[in-house]
Structure formats: C-alpha cells, structure tokens
Amino acid sequence: MNAPIVSFTHVGKSFDVDGFELEAIREFNLDIAEGEFVAIVGSSGCGKSTLLRLLVGLDTEFRGQITVDGKAVTGVGGERGIVFQEHRLFPWLTVADNIGLGLVNEPLGAAEKLRRVDSFIELVGLRDFARAYPHQLSGGMAQRVAIARGLVASPRILLLDEPFGALDALTRQQMQDELLAIRDRARITTILVTHDVEEAIFLADRVVVMEPRPGRIKQVVDIALPRPRQRSGFDFHQLREELLHELTGDGHYLPAPAVRIRDLPLSFIAY
Ligand SMILES: Nc1ncnc2c1ncn2[C@@H]1O[C@H](COP(=O)(O)OP(=O)(O)OP(=O)(O)O)[C@@H](O)[C@H]1O
Ligand SMILES: [Mg+2]
C-alpha cells in the first residue's frame, strides 16, 4: 500500500460513566489508502460512532494515534466531512441554509457557495424543498439534507454513520448509487458505518467486522467483486452469508438500534 491517507495506530478510548471507566475501543489498528472505501459493521455499542468522532477530530482524548496524511489529528478540518447517525439539522434554518453550513469554512465567494448548495439540493432530490424547514421534512428527506451537507465541501475523506438508515429501500439503493457516482468523480476516501451487510458488500473495498464492546477488529474482509456490482449474484450472496456469520456467529450480536430522527436540542450539535 502507498502511504495511507488515514492511519489508526493502537487506538483506544474509554469514557468515564458515573465514576466508572467504560472501555469503548481497544487496540484499534487500521490503515486506509487514498480513494479506498471501507465499511465498518458491528454490534450496537461496539464503538463505531466513537471511532468516526475520533477521526473527525470531535474528541481528542484517546490512546494511540490517528493520522491523516501522516499528520496527527488534533481537531476538526475541512478535508474531513461527516454525516452523523442522527441528522442534526438546525431547526431554524432552511434546507438550503443547513446544507450551506457545510461550506462555512470554505474560502469561496457567496455566488459560488449558492451554486454548490443548489447543485447538491438537486442531487439529493429536494429541489422543491430548498426553502423548507426541517420539521416540514420526512425522516428520509432530513437524512438526505444531512448527506448533502456532508458532501457539499467536497471533502477528501468522507465519514458516514448509518447515513441511509431512515430511507426506504428504493431511495436507499438510489443514494448508494449516487454515492458511488460522486466517488468516481472525486476519488473520495470513504468510511461508512452500517448495520446493513448488503450495503457494506455493495459499496466497500474492505469490510471491517468489529467485536462487541470493547470495540476491537474481529476481521477485515476484502470485497474483491468487480464493479459495478450486482446485488443478486452468487458471489455476492456467498460473501453476505460469510459476513453475517462473522457478525452473528458467536451469538453476541446486538441488532441495529431504531433510527432516531428528530431535531436535537442545541447541546447535541457538535459544531
Ligand atoms: N459521550 C459518551 N459518554 C459515555 N459513554 C459513551 C459516550 N459515547 C459513547 N459511549 C459509550 O461507548 C460505547 C460505544 O458507543 P458508540 O456510540 O460508539 O457505539 P456504536 O457502535 O456507534 O453503536 P450503535 O450501532 O448503536 O450506533 C457505548 O457503550 C456507549 O455507551
Ligand atoms: Mg453509532
């Protein structure tokens, strides 16, 4: 592998919960190459969202080291975009303004920002809702706004935490296709957390299977299927069985939590 764009070395993370130490992640080691698509699957509570928060720089207290382009992560940066597990839209901003927040730190003129926001509104199919507020959207529409906000600054590294969870099956497949199309144009390095094994196999170059808490890597599975991939092929189903077995075979798997789509109070909003 060329020098990795992202590198986790001996990463560990504990939280203090009511005076007790809760070990969320233990000895996580992973190198990710530029342009690679890595999916992470694992039981609820195994530390997937925590890993993304550490990489995006929202939490800088952890053991070990995380580097991007060889430099230690010490905070948030424009080259890393994240789509959170809950959409975290600002209730008092319109769809367009929520997406525009993804550009606040970009050195672009106002006209160029508007043009970019417009094109992403179009991309996620919300043209008629540009001036709508989050409470006027369905859960899936709100999630699409969050996806547009994560992509609008054209990050080099895109972190997606269950981004398609609230979408119906058809929209979900459309968004997966869109995501691959965007990646083809921009060669974005992508890390996707998902509970959907099929989604992981359809999209990823490698799938990281996590052990239940404390989160450790159980196995890394290469997905060598040629692209574009067919969801119905024999090899696809074989891999699906294999991964499901890895995930659930030991009887410790906790299923996906219900997707919580709501407008969070301000204290939950990270930026
Ligand atoms: N801010 C926090 N304070 C204390 N404990 C936390 C905090 N954030 C996460 N945890 C704990 O760390 C563990 C991992 O949480 P995390 O949200 O990363 O899991 P996850 O793999 O994303 O789960 P899910 O699939 O349900 O989203 C859990 O046991 C959780 O209770
Ligand atoms: Mg999570």
Side-chain angles (χ1 to χ4, degrees):
M1 195 193 271
N2 293 333
I5 184 169
V6 171
S7 182
F8 292 88
T9 315
H10 304 304
V11 171
K13 171 74 187 172
S14 298
F15 293 102
D16 176 45
V17 178
D18 222 9
F20 290 93
E21 182 182 317
L22 181 141
E23 188 183 13
I25 296 167
R26 181 187 294 174
E27 259 306 294
F28 188 89
N29 292 292
L30 186 70
D31 284 345
I32 299 173
E34 174 137 40
E36 201 178 8
F37 196 133
V38 171
I40 302 178
V41 297
S43 217
S44 179
C46 75
K48 304 178 297 297
S49 297
T50 303
L51 275 171
L52 295 194
R53 285 176 58 83
L54 297 183
L55 174 55
V56 86
L58 287 169
D59 185 344
T60 50
E61 281 188 19
F62 55 91
R63 296 180 289 279
Q65 198 175 45
I66 303 175
T67 59
V68 170
D69 285 331
K71 289 193 261 327
V73 169
T74 54
V76 294
E79 82 287 358
R80 281 159 286 149
I82 185 162
V83 177
F84 291 101
Q85 193 165 8
E86 312 93 9
H87 58 66
R88 301 191 190 203
L89 301 183
F90 287 83
W92 58 89
L93 294 180
T94 63
V95 163
D97 291 340
N98 265 292
I99 296 174
L101 280 180
L103 291 174
V104 279
N105 294 322
E106 298 301 301
L108 301 169
E112 172 61 12
K113 285 188 179 181
L114 279 180
R115 199 193 59 73
R116 287 243 209 142
V117 168
D118 268 356
S119 71
F120 276 86
I121 289 174
E122 193 75 41
L123 175 76
V124 294
L126 291 174
R127 187 211 286 234
D128 295 338
F129 292 86
R131 310 245 59 90
Y133 289 87
H135 75 271
Q136 295 167 319
L137 306 176
S138 70
M141 290 159 80
Q143 223 173 2
R144 283 184 272 156
V145 177
I147 291 164
R149 184 176 58 190
L151 283 168
V152 71
S154 309
R156 287 175 58 220
I157 304 171
L158 182 63
L159 312 179
L160 300 160
D161 198 349
E162 294 273 358
F164 308 137
L167 304 180
D168 64 90
L170 192 61
T171 314
R172 194 178 175 108
Q173 292 196 358
Q174 280 169 353
M175 290 304 299
Q176 291 168 353
D177 291 337
E178 270 314 325
L179 177 61
L180 290 180
I182 290 167
R183 277 176 43 84
D184 280 350
R185 290 201 294 272
R187 204 173 133 78
I188 308 170
T189 305
T190 311
I191 305 175
L192 167 83
V193 167
T194 180
H195 276 97
D196 182 343
V197 164
E198 275 183 31
E199 179 167 281
I201 298 170
F202 183 70
L203 294 172
D205 300 313
R206 283 190 294 163
V207 179
V208 175
V209 181
M210 302 281 291
E211 302 262 18
R213 187 166 59 79
R216 291 142 292 163
I217 293 182
K218 183 175 191 187
Q219 210 194 338
V220 180
V221 180
D222 281 316
I223 309 295
L225 300 176
R227 295 174 187 272
R229 293 177 178 163
Q230 307 297 329
R231 292 178 172 87
S232 52
F234 175 78
D235 293 344
F236 196 102
H237 281 279
Q238 188 115 331
L239 269 169
R240 183 171 166 274
E241 292 308 306
E242 197 181 303
L243 266 176
L244 279 174
H245 182 74
E246 265 318 310
L247 259 183
T248 60
D250 53 14
H252 293 307
Y253 184 72
L254 287 171
V259 174
R260 293 151 297 182
I261 291 297
R262 55 168 192 253
D263 293 320
L264 293 160
L266 244 190
S267 58
F268 278 80
I269 295 167
Y271 294 110

